Amino acid sequence: LVELVDVQRHYQQGDELVRALDGVNLQIEAGEYVAIVGASGSGTSTMMNVLGALDRPTSGTYTLDGTEVSQLGDAALSAVRNRAIGFVFQSFHLLPRLDAVGNVELPLGYAGVPRADRRVRALSALQRVGLSDRTTHTPSQLSGGQQHRVAIARALVTEPRILLADEPTGALDSDTTQQILGLLAGLNAAGMTLIVVTHDTEVAARARRVVRIKDGRIVSDGPSATA
Amino acid sequence: LVELVDVQRHYQQGDELVRALDGVNLQIEAGEYVAIVGASGSGTSTMMNVLGALDRPTSGTYTLDGTEVSQLGDAALSAVRNRAIGFVFQSFHLLPRLDAVGNVELPLGYAGVPRADRRVRALSALQRVGLSDRTTHTPSQLSGGQQHRVAIARALVTEPRILLADEPTGALDSDTTQQILGLLAGLNAAGMTLIVVTHDTEVAARARRVVRIKDGRIVSDGPSATA
Ligand SMILES: Nc1ncnc2c1ncn2[C@@H]1O[C@H](COP(=O)(O)OP(=O)(O)OP(=O)(O)O)[C@@H](O)[C@H]1O
Ligand SMILES: Nc1ncnc2c1ncn2[C@@H]1O[C@H](COP(=O)(O)OP(=O)(O)OP(=O)(O)O)[C@@H](O)[C@H]1O
Ligand SMILES: [Mg+2]
Ligand SMILES: [Mg+2]
């Protein structure tokens, strides 16, 4: 379903070249549950941005469901992202002037879902992350973990084939973390492909495969301890 | 050193009253190392904002080093914050147009520290959080954990008497977390008062006292398991 071949992502920083990704080869089948683990600065978010078609590699290819993503124009890329991919960003990227339900409805709007259906589905997604009593709060009226859960709900509301989650439990206490992990496990059992960056060994343990990244390269790729 | 008496912090949300803090009484002595633990939405950040003099309670008093903070005007409050308190925000609040060293120098500028000294001290703070090779990167050119560490360095650069850290290791892998916890332990041993909100039991274990918050109230307050 997802294939990265020899992916490089470089940044020129003054006279220094930062190799955020330095030759990444990765294949993920539909329905897998993969944890991506790496130290701070190792390249995990950069890899997620390439997988989410939000960033183009400096070199190498990204093939999603048979289509080479680098060949797509912006409009086609946007449509692919909206239909196939749900993304939980490490820094959430909620719209400050929309309340929780407004933020969660947004991808449904882009997908052309009728207004009444958008609201019902957004409220249902918020209920699944435990935020039914915060739907009319804007991001600044929400705690860090509540904002995190709005971002998760927004990523799930379109029922994407692939969920890319960059540190989905970073701002959550352990009970809420377990609640979210249970939700994700259920979605994966129902067929959703999950690719999750995490620093939390407990989150990585829930995945069936662990890919370790160091200095922009994959250094190990195998079954998780609990697989 | 720090005393909250009967602190309430309410928000009117339409026809609902949100009691983010619902009668908090807390005393912390100079040199203590306190972890504040609570579920997502329990009121920990709200409490930190009151302690950091960034938010005034709806009712109740906050006394810092003998001065009742609610009596101070904005200028006096600003000066107290700059001199006495270092704050690591849950969402970092870095300035997007300044690079790492520029962000870390900022509180030294407000404190009137001469330009050359500011740079030396900022670079030293960045070195202590392992970011010597990222000093000229702006926040968007940094990973999540690197941004987090810039926020930590900025909070420490003025050598404040009190460090308020709201989830200081949330975006960090375990090795970097240990590095930061070691840094904090050393500063506490040298006399800095540490008040740390955390969801991470490993971080709470490093503190000597744990205060648990639920629904805006303190439900327990005692020695940490490892104290
Ligand atoms: N401006 C506001 N208006 C209305 N409600 C608010 C506002 N700010 C915070 N709240 C509510 O107050 C409660 C406490 O928020 P706070 O940010 O202190 O939680 P927290 O303990 O830091 O949670 P987390 O661990 O998720 O960061 C939350 O339920 C939140 O929704
Ligand atoms: N725009 C940029 N310009 C220069 N360097 C960058 C840029 N974006 C990221 N980097 C660097 O690329 C490296 C990888 O960044 P990335 O965000 O992928 O790390 P990460 O694995 O997600 O880290 P974390 O766990 O801290 O979030 C980092 O060292 C970072 O400083
Ligand atoms: Mg990252
Ligand atoms: Mg908080």
Side-chain angles (χ1 to χ4, degrees), chain A residues 16-51:
Chain A
E16 185 201 348
L17 185 72
V18 176
R19 298 172 194 274
L21 296 178
D22 191 19
V24 169
N25 288 286
L26 182 66
Q27 285 186 345
I28 297 176
E29 311 287 321
E32 286 203 59
Y33 189 162
V34 186
I36 302 185
V37 178
S40 173
S42 58
T44 55
S45 293
T46 304
M47 191 156 112
M48 292 295 265
N49 289 336
V50 171
L51 290 172

PDB file of all heavy atoms in Angstrom, chain A residues 16-51:
ATOM      1  N   GLU A  16      25.729  24.255   5.870  1.00  0.00           N
ATOM      2  CA  GLU A  16      25.622  22.878   6.357  1.00  0.00           C
ATOM      3  C   GLU A  16      24.437  22.188   5.686  1.00  0.00           C
ATOM      4  O   GLU A  16      23.399  22.809   5.450  1.00  0.00           O
ATOM      5  CB  GLU A  16      25.414  22.907   7.877  1.00  0.00           C
ATOM      6  CG  GLU A  16      25.418  21.535   8.534  1.00  0.00           C
ATOM      7  CD  GLU A  16      24.717  21.525   9.892  1.00  0.00           C
ATOM      8  OE1 GLU A  16      24.437  22.631  10.416  1.00  0.00           O
ATOM      9  OE2 GLU A  16      24.439  20.428  10.406  1.00  0.00           O
ATOM     10  N   LEU A  17      24.604  20.918   5.337  1.00  0.00           N
ATOM     11  CA  LEU A  17      23.485  20.163   4.762  1.00  0.00           C
ATOM     12  C   LEU A  17      22.905  19.260   5.857  1.00  0.00           C
ATOM     13  O   LEU A  17      23.612  18.417   6.397  1.00  0.00           O
ATOM     14  CB  LEU A  17      23.959  19.313   3.584  1.00  0.00           C
ATOM     15  CG  LEU A  17      22.846  18.569   2.828  1.00  0.00           C
ATOM     16  CD1 LEU A  17      21.998  19.537   2.016  1.00  0.00           C
ATOM     17  CD2 LEU A  17      23.437  17.496   1.924  1.00  0.00           C
ATOM     18  N   VAL A  18      21.616  19.467   6.175  1.00  0.00           N
ATOM     19  CA  VAL A  18      20.974  18.602   7.171  1.00  0.00           C
ATOM     20  C   VAL A  18      20.278  17.469   6.416  1.00  0.00           C
ATOM     21  O   VAL A  18      19.416  17.710   5.575  1.00  0.00           O
ATOM     22  CB  VAL A  18      19.921  19.378   8.007  1.00  0.00           C
ATOM     23  CG1 VAL A  18      19.204  18.438   8.967  1.00  0.00           C
ATOM     24  CG2 VAL A  18      20.573  20.532   8.758  1.00  0.00           C
ATOM     25  N   ARG A  19      20.691  16.236   6.686  1.00  0.00           N
ATOM     26  CA  ARG A  19      20.061  15.086   6.026  1.00  0.00           C
ATOM     27  C   ARG A  19      18.976  14.550   6.962  1.00  0.00           C
ATOM     28  O   ARG A  19      19.212  13.623   7.723  1.00  0.00           O
ATOM     29  CB  ARG A  19      21.082  13.992   5.754  1.00  0.00           C
ATOM     30  CG  ARG A  19      22.207  14.409   4.826  1.00  0.00           C
ATOM     31  CD  ARG A  19      23.291  13.317   4.778  1.00  0.00           C
ATOM     32  NE  ARG A  19      24.521  13.806   4.175  1.00  0.00           N
ATOM     33  CZ  ARG A  19      24.753  13.806   2.849  1.00  0.00           C
ATOM     34  NH1 ARG A  19      23.848  13.314   2.020  1.00  0.00           N
ATOM     35  NH2 ARG A  19      25.886  14.288   2.384  1.00  0.00           N
ATOM     36  N   ALA A  20      17.784  15.146   6.902  1.00  0.00           N
ATOM     37  CA  ALA A  20      16.708  14.730   7.802  1.00  0.00           C
ATOM     38  C   ALA A  20      16.293  13.286   7.488  1.00  0.00           C
ATOM     39  O   ALA A  20      15.992  12.513   8.391  1.00  0.00           O
ATOM     40  CB  ALA A  20      15.528  15.680   7.688  1.00  0.00           C
ATOM     41  N   LEU A  21      16.257  12.933   6.193  1.00  0.00           N
ATOM     42  CA  LEU A  21      16.094  11.531   5.776  1.00  0.00           C
ATOM     43  C   LEU A  21      17.264  11.214   4.866  1.00  0.00           C
ATOM     44  O   LEU A  21      17.574  11.987   3.948  1.00  0.00           O
ATOM     45  CB  LEU A  21      14.765  11.306   5.046  1.00  0.00           C
ATOM     46  CG  LEU A  21      13.491  11.536   5.857  1.00  0.00           C
ATOM     47  CD1 LEU A  21      12.254  11.314   4.980  1.00  0.00           C
ATOM     48  CD2 LEU A  21      13.432  10.610   7.075  1.00  0.00           C
ATOM     49  N   ASP A  22      17.919  10.091   5.110  1.00  0.00           N
ATOM     50  CA  ASP A  22      19.191   9.806   4.448  1.00  0.00           C
ATOM     51  C   ASP A  22      19.195   8.428   3.797  1.00  0.00           C
ATOM     52  O   ASP A  22      20.060   7.608   4.068  1.00  0.00           O
ATOM     53  CB  ASP A  22      20.291   9.932   5.524  1.00  0.00           C
ATOM     54  CG  ASP A  22      21.687   9.937   4.951  1.00  0.00           C
ATOM     55  OD1 ASP A  22      21.829  10.214   3.732  1.00  0.00           O
ATOM     56  OD2 ASP A  22      22.634   9.646   5.701  1.00  0.00           O
ATOM     57  N   GLY A  23      18.166   8.164   2.964  1.00  0.00           N
ATOM     58  CA  GLY A  23      18.106   6.867   2.285  1.00  0.00           C
ATOM     59  C   GLY A  23      17.155   5.923   2.988  1.00  0.00           C
ATOM     60  O   GLY A  23      17.559   4.969   3.633  1.00  0.00           O
ATOM     61  N   VAL A  24      15.862   6.226   2.872  1.00  0.00           N
ATOM     62  CA  VAL A  24      14.858   5.418   3.571  1.00  0.00           C
ATOM     63  C   VAL A  24      14.155   4.487   2.596  1.00  0.00           C
ATOM     64  O   VAL A  24      13.678   4.920   1.549  1.00  0.00           O
ATOM     65  CB  VAL A  24      13.814   6.333   4.259  1.00  0.00           C
ATOM     66  CG1 VAL A  24      12.620   5.525   4.758  1.00  0.00           C
ATOM     67  CG2 VAL A  24      14.457   7.093   5.414  1.00  0.00           C
ATOM     68  N   ASN A  25      14.140   3.207   2.936  1.00  0.00           N
ATOM     69  CA  ASN A  25      13.412   2.201   2.167  1.00  0.00           C
ATOM     70  C   ASN A  25      12.415   1.531   3.087  1.00  0.00           C
ATOM     71  O   ASN A  25      12.790   1.012   4.143  1.00  0.00           O
ATOM     72  CB  ASN A  25      14.369   1.155   1.598  1.00  0.00           C
ATOM     73  CG  ASN A  25      15.196   1.725   0.475  1.00  0.00           C
ATOM     74  OD1 ASN A  25      14.717   1.937  -0.627  1.00  0.00           O
ATOM     75  ND2 ASN A  25      16.458   2.023   0.771  1.00  0.00           N
ATOM     76  N   LEU A  26      11.139   1.585   2.712  1.00  0.00           N
ATOM     77  CA  LEU A  26      10.092   1.084   3.606  1.00  0.00           C
ATOM     78  C   LEU A  26       8.885   0.646   2.809  1.00  0.00           C
ATOM     79  O   LEU A  26       8.438   1.352   1.911  1.00  0.00           O
ATOM     80  CB  LEU A  26       9.690   2.224   4.569  1.00  0.00           C
ATOM     81  CG  LEU A  26       8.641   1.941   5.637  1.00  0.00           C
ATOM     82  CD1 LEU A  26       9.154   0.936   6.663  1.00  0.00           C
ATOM     83  CD2 LEU A  26       8.282   3.249   6.350  1.00  0.00           C
ATOM     84  N   GLN A  27       8.349  -0.523   3.159  1.00  0.00           N
ATOM     85  CA  GLN A  27       7.118  -1.003   2.519  1.00  0.00           C
ATOM     86  C   GLN A  27       6.114  -1.356   3.610  1.00  0.00           C
ATOM     87  O   GLN A  27       6.445  -2.083   4.550  1.00  0.00           O
ATOM     88  CB  GLN A  27       7.394  -2.283   1.718  1.00  0.00           C
ATOM     89  CG  GLN A  27       8.111  -2.070   0.422  1.00  0.00           C
ATOM     90  CD  GLN A  27       8.220  -3.372  -0.364  1.00  0.00           C
ATOM     91  OE1 GLN A  27       8.003  -4.459   0.173  1.00  0.00           O
ATOM     92  NE2 GLN A  27       8.574  -3.252  -1.627  1.00  0.00           N
ATOM     93  N   ILE A  28       4.894  -0.865   3.465  1.00  0.00           N
ATOM     94  CA  ILE A  28       3.854  -1.178   4.458  1.00  0.00           C
ATOM     95  C   ILE A  28       2.609  -1.663   3.725  1.00  0.00           C
ATOM     96  O   ILE A  28       2.131  -1.007   2.794  1.00  0.00           O
ATOM     97  CB  ILE A  28       3.542   0.069   5.333  1.00  0.00           C
ATOM     98  CG1 ILE A  28       4.795   0.469   6.124  1.00  0.00           C
ATOM     99  CG2 ILE A  28       2.378  -0.225   6.296  1.00  0.00           C
ATOM    100  CD1 ILE A  28       4.650   1.735   6.942  1.00  0.00           C
ATOM    101  N   GLU A  29       2.108  -2.832   4.163  1.00  0.00           N
ATOM    102  CA  GLU A  29       0.915  -3.403   3.530  1.00  0.00           C
ATOM    103  C   GLU A  29      -0.360  -2.829   4.142  1.00  0.00           C
ATOM    104  O   GLU A  29      -0.354  -2.345   5.276  1.00  0.00           O
ATOM    105  CB  GLU A  29       0.888  -4.924   3.770  1.00  0.00           C
ATOM    106  CG  GLU A  29       2.182  -5.642   3.463  1.00  0.00           C
ATOM    107  CD  GLU A  29       2.437  -5.744   1.979  1.00  0.00           C
ATOM    108  OE1 GLU A  29       1.454  -5.965   1.234  1.00  0.00           O
ATOM    109  OE2 GLU A  29       3.596  -5.588   1.559  1.00  0.00           O
ATOM    110  N   ALA A  30      -1.456  -2.951   3.420  1.00  0.00           N
ATOM    111  CA  ALA A  30      -2.749  -2.503   3.945  1.00  0.00           C
ATOM    112  C   ALA A  30      -3.065  -3.276   5.224  1.00  0.00           C
ATOM    113  O   ALA A  30      -2.796  -4.481   5.319  1.00  0.00           O
ATOM    114  CB  ALA A  30      -3.844  -2.747   2.908  1.00  0.00           C
ATOM    115  N   GLY A  31      -3.598  -2.583   6.210  1.00  0.00           N
ATOM    116  CA  GLY A  31      -4.019  -3.226   7.453  1.00  0.00           C
ATOM    117  C   GLY A  31      -2.931  -3.396   8.496  1.00  0.00           C
ATOM    118  O   GLY A  31      -3.196  -3.860   9.610  1.00  0.00           O
ATOM    119  N   GLU A  32      -1.704  -3.009   8.171  1.00  0.00           N
ATOM    120  CA  GLU A  32      -0.636  -3.152   9.170  1.00  0.00           C
ATOM    121  C   GLU A  32      -0.781  -2.118  10.297  1.00  0.00           C
ATOM    122  O   GLU A  32      -1.478  -1.109  10.165  1.00  0.00           O
ATOM    123  CB  GLU A  32       0.739  -2.957   8.512  1.00  0.00           C
ATOM    124  CG  GLU A  32       1.172  -4.127   7.660  1.00  0.00           C
ATOM    125  CD  GLU A  32       2.695  -4.156   7.499  1.00  0.00           C
ATOM    126  OE1 GLU A  32       3.403  -4.238   8.534  1.00  0.00           O
ATOM    127  OE2 GLU A  32       3.168  -4.066   6.352  1.00  0.00           O
ATOM    128  N   TYR A  33      -0.087  -2.389  11.400  1.00  0.00           N
ATOM    129  CA  TYR A  33      -0.055  -1.465  12.549  1.00  0.00           C
ATOM    130  C   TYR A  33       1.422  -1.310  12.888  1.00  0.00           C
ATOM    131  O   TYR A  33       2.015  -2.193  13.510  1.00  0.00           O
ATOM    132  CB  TYR A  33      -0.844  -2.067  13.711  1.00  0.00           C
ATOM    133  CG  TYR A  33      -1.089  -1.142  14.906  1.00  0.00           C
ATOM    134  CD1 TYR A  33      -2.090  -1.459  15.816  1.00  0.00           C
ATOM    135  CD2 TYR A  33      -0.350   0.020  15.143  1.00  0.00           C
ATOM    136  CE1 TYR A  33      -2.341  -0.642  16.927  1.00  0.00           C
ATOM    137  CE2 TYR A  33      -0.599   0.823  16.242  1.00  0.00           C
ATOM    138  CZ  TYR A  33      -1.596   0.482  17.130  1.00  0.00           C
ATOM    139  OH  TYR A  33      -1.841   1.290  18.235  1.00  0.00           O
ATOM    140  N   VAL A  34       1.993  -0.201  12.424  1.00  0.00           N
ATOM    141  CA  VAL A  34       3.440   0.011  12.516  1.00  0.00           C
ATOM    142  C   VAL A  34       3.767   1.168  13.453  1.00  0.00           C
ATOM    143  O   VAL A  34       3.189   2.251  13.321  1.00  0.00           O
ATOM    144  CB  VAL A  34       4.008   0.358  11.114  1.00  0.00           C
ATOM    145  CG1 VAL A  34       5.527   0.444  11.167  1.00  0.00           C
ATOM    146  CG2 VAL A  34       3.559  -0.665  10.070  1.00  0.00           C
ATOM    147  N   ALA A  35       4.682   0.954  14.379  1.00  0.00           N
ATOM    148  CA  ALA A  35       5.177   2.041  15.231  1.00  0.00           C
ATOM    149  C   ALA A  35       6.522   2.493  14.687  1.00  0.00           C
ATOM    150  O   ALA A  35       7.362   1.653  14.328  1.00  0.00           O
ATOM    151  CB  ALA A  35       5.333   1.566  16.677  1.00  0.00           C
ATOM    152  N   ILE A  36       6.708   3.812  14.599  1.00  0.00           N
ATOM    153  CA  ILE A  36       7.986   4.356  14.147  1.00  0.00           C
ATOM    154  C   ILE A  36       8.627   5.055  15.348  1.00  0.00           C
ATOM    155  O   ILE A  36       8.031   5.958  15.945  1.00  0.00           O
ATOM    156  CB  ILE A  36       7.790   5.329  12.983  1.00  0.00           C
ATOM    157  CG1 ILE A  36       7.089   4.587  11.843  1.00  0.00           C
ATOM    158  CG2 ILE A  36       9.128   5.896  12.515  1.00  0.00           C
ATOM    159  CD1 ILE A  36       6.925   5.365  10.583  1.00  0.00           C
ATOM    160  N   VAL A  37       9.802   4.600  15.685  1.00  0.00           N
ATOM    161  CA  VAL A  37      10.452   5.040  16.916  1.00  0.00           C
ATOM    162  C   VAL A  37      11.817   5.634  16.608  1.00  0.00           C
ATOM    163  O   VAL A  37      12.564   5.080  15.796  1.00  0.00           O
ATOM    164  CB  VAL A  37      10.625   3.818  17.862  1.00  0.00           C
ATOM    165  CG1 VAL A  37      11.343   4.217  19.130  1.00  0.00           C
ATOM    166  CG2 VAL A  37       9.266   3.214  18.192  1.00  0.00           C
ATOM    167  N   GLY A  38      12.138   6.780  17.239  1.00  0.00           N
ATOM    168  CA  GLY A  38      13.461   7.357  17.019  1.00  0.00           C
ATOM    169  C   GLY A  38      13.707   8.470  18.009  1.00  0.00           C
ATOM    170  O   GLY A  38      12.759   9.058  18.537  1.00  0.00           O
ATOM    171  N   ALA A  39      14.954   8.783  18.246  1.00  0.00           N
ATOM    172  CA  ALA A  39      15.285   9.860  19.182  1.00  0.00           C
ATOM    173  C   ALA A  39      14.833  11.207  18.627  1.00  0.00           C
ATOM    174  O   ALA A  39      14.563  11.349  17.430  1.00  0.00           O
ATOM    175  CB  ALA A  39      16.800   9.897  19.429  1.00  0.00           C
ATOM    176  N   SER A  40      14.759  12.196  19.495  1.00  0.00           N
ATOM    177  CA  SER A  40      14.403  13.550  19.079  1.00  0.00           C
ATOM    178  C   SER A  40      15.352  14.003  17.976  1.00  0.00           C
ATOM    179  O   SER A  40      16.565  13.922  18.118  1.00  0.00           O
ATOM    180  CB  SER A  40      14.498  14.485  20.299  1.00  0.00           C
ATOM    181  OG  SER A  40      14.318  15.814  19.882  1.00  0.00           O
ATOM    182  N   GLY A  41      14.774  14.431  16.854  1.00  0.00           N
ATOM    183  CA  GLY A  41      15.591  14.892  15.725  1.00  0.00           C
ATOM    184  C   GLY A  41      16.014  13.808  14.767  1.00  0.00           C
ATOM    185  O   GLY A  41      16.725  14.076  13.795  1.00  0.00           O
ATOM    186  N   SER A  42      15.553  12.591  14.974  1.00  0.00           N
ATOM    187  CA  SER A  42      16.015  11.472  14.145  1.00  0.00           C
ATOM    188  C   SER A  42      15.393  11.436  12.753  1.00  0.00           C
ATOM    189  O   SER A  42      15.900  10.751  11.878  1.00  0.00           O
ATOM    190  CB  SER A  42      15.733  10.142  14.847  1.00  0.00           C
ATOM    191  OG  SER A  42      14.342  10.027  15.102  1.00  0.00           O
ATOM    192  N   GLY A  43      14.272  12.140  12.539  1.00  0.00           N
ATOM    193  CA  GLY A  43      13.680  12.163  11.207  1.00  0.00           C
ATOM    194  C   GLY A  43      12.263  11.587  11.128  1.00  0.00           C
ATOM    195  O   GLY A  43      11.713  11.463  10.042  1.00  0.00           O
ATOM    196  N   THR A  44      11.666  11.258  12.279  1.00  0.00           N
ATOM    197  CA  THR A  44      10.345  10.625  12.254  1.00  0.00           C
ATOM    198  C   THR A  44       9.272  11.538  11.667  1.00  0.00           C
ATOM    199  O   THR A  44       8.489  11.109  10.817  1.00  0.00           O
ATOM    200  CB  THR A  44       9.945  10.173  13.676  1.00  0.00           C
ATOM    201  OG1 THR A  44      10.011  11.284  14.565  1.00  0.00           O
ATOM    202  CG2 THR A  44      10.874   9.078  14.167  1.00  0.00           C
ATOM    203  N   SER A  45       9.222  12.796  12.094  1.00  0.00           N
ATOM    204  CA  SER A  45       8.180  13.689  11.565  1.00  0.00           C
ATOM    205  C   SER A  45       8.407  13.963  10.081  1.00  0.00           C
ATOM    206  O   SER A  45       7.448  14.080   9.308  1.00  0.00           O
ATOM    207  CB  SER A  45       8.146  15.021  12.331  1.00  0.00           C
ATOM    208  OG  SER A  45       7.725  14.813  13.656  1.00  0.00           O
ATOM    209  N   THR A  46       9.674  14.072   9.684  1.00  0.00           N
ATOM    210  CA  THR A  46       9.974  14.296   8.269  1.00  0.00           C
ATOM    211  C   THR A  46       9.441  13.125   7.444  1.00  0.00           C
ATOM    212  O   THR A  46       8.821  13.312   6.387  1.00  0.00           O
ATOM    213  CB  THR A  46      11.495  14.460   8.066  1.00  0.00           C
ATOM    214  OG1 THR A  46      11.955  15.519   8.918  1.00  0.00           O
ATOM    215  CG2 THR A  46      11.828  14.792   6.625  1.00  0.00           C
ATOM    216  N   MET A  47       9.657  11.908   7.947  1.00  0.00           N
ATOM    217  CA  MET A  47       9.152  10.727   7.245  1.00  0.00           C
ATOM    218  C   MET A  47       7.629  10.752   7.158  1.00  0.00           C
ATOM    219  O   MET A  47       7.041  10.443   6.118  1.00  0.00           O
ATOM    220  CB  MET A  47       9.611   9.461   7.958  1.00  0.00           C
ATOM    221  CG  MET A  47       9.349   8.238   7.144  1.00  0.00           C
ATOM    222  SD  MET A  47      10.466   6.952   7.655  1.00  0.00           S
ATOM    223  CE  MET A  47       9.292   5.839   8.390  1.00  0.00           C
ATOM    224  N   MET A  48       6.966  11.137   8.253  1.00  0.00           N
ATOM    225  CA  MET A  48       5.505  11.211   8.261  1.00  0.00           C
ATOM    226  C   MET A  48       4.999  12.249   7.256  1.00  0.00           C
ATOM    227  O   MET A  48       3.984  12.043   6.586  1.00  0.00           O
ATOM    228  CB  MET A  48       4.997  11.564   9.665  1.00  0.00           C
ATOM    229  CG  MET A  48       5.232  10.475  10.669  1.00  0.00           C
ATOM    230  SD  MET A  48       4.288   8.964  10.286  1.00  0.00           S
ATOM    231  CE  MET A  48       2.850   9.261  11.336  1.00  0.00           C
ATOM    232  N   ASN A  49       5.700  13.360   7.132  1.00  0.00           N
ATOM    233  CA  ASN A  49       5.271  14.390   6.179  1.00  0.00           C
ATOM    234  C   ASN A  49       5.386  13.899   4.745  1.00  0.00           C
ATOM    235  O   ASN A  49       4.563  14.244   3.895  1.00  0.00           O
ATOM    236  CB  ASN A  49       6.079  15.673   6.378  1.00  0.00           C
ATOM    237  CG  ASN A  49       5.715  16.375   7.672  1.00  0.00           C
ATOM    238  OD1 ASN A  49       4.622  16.195   8.209  1.00  0.00           O
ATOM    239  ND2 ASN A  49       6.637  17.168   8.197  1.00  0.00           N
ATOM    240  N   VAL A  50       6.391  13.061   4.480  1.00  0.00           N
ATOM    241  CA  VAL A  50       6.509  12.478   3.137  1.00  0.00           C
ATOM    242  C   VAL A  50       5.370  11.472   2.924  1.00  0.00           C
ATOM    243  O   VAL A  50       4.693  11.496   1.901  1.00  0.00           O
ATOM    244  CB  VAL A  50       7.883  11.802   2.943  1.00  0.00           C
ATOM    245  CG1 VAL A  50       7.910  11.010   1.638  1.00  0.00           C
ATOM    246  CG2 VAL A  50       8.989  12.849   2.951  1.00  0.00           C
ATOM    247  N   LEU A  51       5.135  10.606   3.921  1.00  0.00           N
ATOM    248  CA  LEU A  51       4.054   9.610   3.818  1.00  0.00           C
ATOM    249  C   LEU A  51       2.692  10.277   3.677  1.00  0.00           C
ATOM    250  O   LEU A  51       1.801   9.762   2.996  1.00  0.00           O
ATOM    251  CB  LEU A  51       4.051   8.698   5.056  1.00  0.00           C
ATOM    252  CG  LEU A  51       5.223   7.728   5.162  1.00  0.00           C
ATOM    253  CD1 LEU A  51       5.210   7.015   6.517  1.00  0.00           C
ATOM    254  CD2 LEU A  51       5.189   6.708   4.035  1.00  0.00           C
TER     255      LEU A  51
END
